[in-house]
Amino acid sequence: MPSANEPAANGPAANPATATDRSSGVVLVVDFGAQYAQLIARRVREARVYSEIVPHTTPVPEMLARNPKAIILSGGPSSVYAEDAPGVGPELFEAGVPVLGICYGFQAMARALGGTVERTGTREYGGTELTVSRTGSTLFEGTPAEQSVWMSHGDSVTEAPAGFTVTASTPGTPVAAFESDERRLYGVQHHPEVMHSTHGQQIIEHFLHRGAGLEPNWTTSSIVEESVAAIREQIGSRRAICGLSGGVDSAVAAALVQKAVGSQLTCVYVDHGLMRKGESEQVEKDFVAATGVQLKVVDAEERFLSALAGVSDPEQKRKIIGREFIRVFEQAASEIVAEAGAAGEAVEFLVQGTLYPDVVESGGGSGTASIKSHHNVGGLPEDLQFQLVEPLRQLFKDEVRMVGQELGLPEEIVQRQPFPGPGLGIRIVGEVTKARLDLLREADAIARQELTAAGLDRGIWQCPVVLLADVRSVGVQGDGRTYGHPVVLRPVSSEDAMTADWSRLPYEVLARISTRITNEVDEVNRVVLDVTSKPPGTIEWE
């Protein structure tokens, strides 16, 4: 997001199985270090127009060589007048390509075209009332004259470039939007990509469809077709394995790769002892029945628990789990080749269900702060022997669900609530032991049963149940003193896992969950509710 105070982040590195050849019709999102540059690209895709992210360091001739149909300049953490601030060459605006500047991109555009950007002493962060002075303009037609938008800036455009019409303002920003229909150049100071800007999607669609004249013709079937083509190009006639976890991400990734290369793929389900109650059986039954994929099951509970013994640090846990996954996959690949006999070819590729939020939180992209190492990104060992195939790396969870539906996966897989690859190992605060896992499995099963019975499965994003294993509290049960563990309920609502809010569950549902857990699960005498949003907290505790 915007100038002067936004944490920097860049899009993930390119991956062969996510690359597409869309030389015609692509919208380039130029990333100036915005945490939500990928969200801009996602909003463009929601408008059924294909988009890709490029770093701001990409030379303008290189951008133009890709024949973009439009360009969007993202927000960023810099001030445009700082000595090392990233800029935009004026030649970009002379190429005849429609451009939309957002926040920092808006300011960079204004400065490059001769406008004025200043630090006025008035900053705007969060919800702000925007007054539209040209309600019939290209960007704002059909939206209210007064609307709530999301601002995050310390600098302001105080004078628009010559030939531009100022179309909106706020109490602290006299030039909050401008347009030049003749040159097809547009800019807004606020962030239309975030849901807090009430008419943000309309503004983005107006730029794409009205300003740039693009047709809404990129669909879920297009994603599938392009992903399958990219996978075939990467894998060719060689063999691959897919780490199947039972979650929607790995299931959709596996289904895409199977569609692309068929029997060249073998799915490997690692039963590491960190799964929830009944999930191993569900993976073996439901996914194989739905897809007919070749599945190899590896019992690795003892291996994982031995590696995790004595470890309480969450980062160390994630790295251990990521390392052990790879070692098991290597062993499974050797066994698959051996089982094939003399005709067996080496397994060269590992398919993962990596999503964009995994990459961001693991520090993917230059300048990105690492929040936590996801087992499939920051937790991978340096001596990895496989080439990675990550067909979902540029997608958000809801987009992955749509791809799963397009591929014909059953609803119980596609709509399954997210569950981390490291499993319950990162939902135990403290050392991971079999006894603690068994305890957490029972508490988690009760919470899931009650949420399902109340019809709340679709109403919340997910509800992690966390065991505070290194914490004990005094309780009274059966007229006697107990000294048991607390468990935490973490119900959250989210659109894309980049941000989240805690879900306001009915009190009677919370009461049933609490009563059942404290009555039915030994050594748990307290149930607490996490009411923290993301940020500042992450969805998982570890």
Side-chain angles (χ1 to χ4, degrees):
M1 283 188 69
S3 50
N5 291 340
E6 177 184 299
N10 290 316
N15 180 280
T18 59
T20 52
D21 182 13
R22 299 280 295 200
S23 58
S24 175
V26 65
V27 172
L28 295 182
V29 177
V30 181
D31 182 5
F32 284 101
Q35 185 174 355
Y36 298 117
Q38 184 75 13
L39 188 52
I40 298 173
R42 177 169 175 260
R43 298 303 185 203
V44 173
R45 294 199 294 265
E46 286 179 359
R48 297 176 60 194
V49 175
Y50 181 70
S51 63
E52 291 182 4
I53 296 176
V54 295
H56 67 82
T57 52
T58 306
V60 170
E62 188 175 321
M63 292 184 199
L64 298 178
R66 298 186 61 182
N67 189 29
K69 296 304 180 185
I71 293 174
I72 299 179
L73 309 177
S74 84
S78 302
S79 295
V80 292
Y81 48 75
E83 186 175 340
D84 58 349
V88 183
E91 65 271 23
L92 178 67
F93 308 109
E94 304 301 327
V97 178
V99 179
L100 171 66
I102 293 175
C103 199
Y104 180 85
F106 170 63
Q107 296 170 4
M109 175 191 289
R111 194 162 191 252
L113 293 171
T116 304
V117 181
E118 298 179 285
R119 176 155 293 182
T120 63
T122 300
R123 301 186 299 175
E124 293 177 313
Y125 296 101
T128 305
E129 284 301 309
L130 180 80
T131 299
V132 179
S133 53
R134 296 290 183 103
T135 54
S137 70
T138 296
L139 295 186
F140 292 106
E141 183 176 15
T143 69
E146 302 288 334
Q147 53 189 273
S148 179
V149 300
W150 190 260
M151 290 282 199
S152 185
H153 67 103
D155 303 337
S156 298
V157 177
T158 55
E159 184 178 354
F164 281 74
T165 300
V166 176
T167 54
S169 63
T170 71
T173 306
V175 183
F178 57 46
E179 302 184 15
S180 173
D181 283 321
E182 182 181 355
R183 301 176 66 181
R184 298 196 295 174
L185 302 177
Y186 307 88
V188 293
Q189 179 63 69
H190 70 278
H191 286 270
E193 73 272 23
V194 304
M195 71 177 85
H196 308 290
S197 292
T198 52
H199 298 276
Q201 184 64 19
Q202 282 180 268
I203 289 170
I204 290 173
E205 291 183 4
H206 285 169
F207 166 69
L208 296 169
H209 303 323
R210 291 160 52 82
L214 299 179
E215 294 294 327
N217 55 16
W218 193 65
T219 63
T220 305
S221 60
S222 301
I223 301 175
V224 172
E225 291 169 8
E226 292 164 10
S227 297
V228 166
I231 292 164
R232 285 176 179 156
E233 181 179 355
Q234 183 183 8
I235 296 178
S237 60
R238 292 166 289 178
R239 302 183 67 176
I241 60 173
C242 176
L244 196 65
S245 70
V248 62
D249 306 335
S250 64
V252 173
L256 270 173
V257 176
Q258 187 196 33
K259 184 177 178 67
V261 300
S263 60
Q264 294 166 232
L265 173 71
T266 300
C267 287
V268 178
Y269 172 67
V270 179
D271 188 352
H272 49 23
L274 308 175
M275 297 297 283
R276 299 189 292 190
K277 190 173 183 178
E279 287 192 312
S280 294
E281 296 79 4
Q282 181 190 42
V283 171
E284 294 187 49
K285 182 185 69 173
D286 293 349
F287 186 75
V288 173
T291 63
V293 73
Q294 300 177 74
L295 179 66
K296 182 178 181 63
V297 179
V298 180
D299 183 356
E301 179 178 13
E302 185 175 341
R303 176 179 190 141
F304 276 79
L305 293 186
S306 295
L308 290 166
V311 178
S312 295
D313 178 74
E315 273 294 282
Q316 192 176 354
K317 283 186 197 176
R318 287 176 177 273
K319 291 182 183 298
I320 288 171
I321 292 170
R323 180 196 70 209
E324 292 303 314
F325 262 126
I326 296 301
R327 299 289 89 100
V328 172
F329 290 146
E330 290 169 349
Q331 178 185 333
S334 298
E335 292 174 0
I336 290 168
V337 173
E339 290 164 5
E345 297 179 1
V347 175
E348 298 185 34
F349 298 93
L350 173 63
V351 180
Q352 294 195 133
T354 306
L355 303 192
Y356 181 70
D358 300 340
V359 177
V360 170
E361 290 190 337
S362 297
S366 111
T368 307
S370 178
I371 299 168
K372 57 188 178 185
S373 295
H374 286 260
H375 76 287
N376 55 345
V377 186
L380 295 175
E382 293 182 1
D383 60 345
L384 183 66
Q385 297 178 18
F386 301 107
Q387 296 182 53
L388 294 180
V389 180
E390 297 178 313
L392 311 178
R393 189 181 175 96
Q394 300 281 355
L395 301 182
F396 289 88
K397 180 74 73 173
D398 58 333
E399 295 174 318
V400 172
R401 293 192 200 281
M402 290 189 292
V403 170
Q405 289 172 334
E406 180 74 18
L407 291 167
L409 293 178
E411 284 289 296
E412 55 267 27
I413 292 177
V414 173
Q415 297 301 333
R416 186 175 183 267
Q417 290 186 1
F419 184 63
L424 299 179
I426 58 168
R427 291 184 178 177
I428 294 176
V429 179
E431 182 185 3
V432 178
T433 66
K434 189 173 189 312
R436 289 175 171 181
L437 286 164
D438 289 342
L439 185 156
L440 180 54
R441 258 188 281 271
E442 294 301 320
D444 175 86
I446 289 169
R448 287 190 290 144
Q449 289 166 8
E450 291 299 333
L451 291 172
T452 299
L456 295 172
D457 285 344
R458 295 288 189 93
I460 62 173
W461 177 264
Q462 62 174 304
C463 183
V465 179
V466 181
L467 174 66
L468 304 184
D470 289 343
V471 177
R472 286 185 178 270
S473 63
V474 174
V476 179
Q477 291 172 296
D479 295 326
R481 179 183 185 275
T482 61
Y483 196 50
H485 298 289
V487 297
V488 181
L489 304 180
R490 174 71 166 136
V492 294
S493 301
S494 180
E495 188 177 4
D496 47 39
M498 297 296 291
T499 61
D501 195 10
W502 64 279
S503 301
R504 276 64 168 175
L505 299 182
Y507 290 150
E508 58 271 19
V509 175
L510 291 171
R512 284 198 299 272
I513 293 173
S514 177
T515 300
R516 284 195 59 193
I517 289 176
T518 53
N519 284 350
E520 300 175 28
V521 182
D522 291 338
E523 295 191 52
V524 175
N525 63 1
R526 195 177 298 269
V527 177
V528 299
L529 179 66
D530 184 344
V531 295
T532 312
S533 63
K534 175 187 179 180
T538 55
I539 293 176
E540 300 289 347
W541 273 48
E542 293 218 327

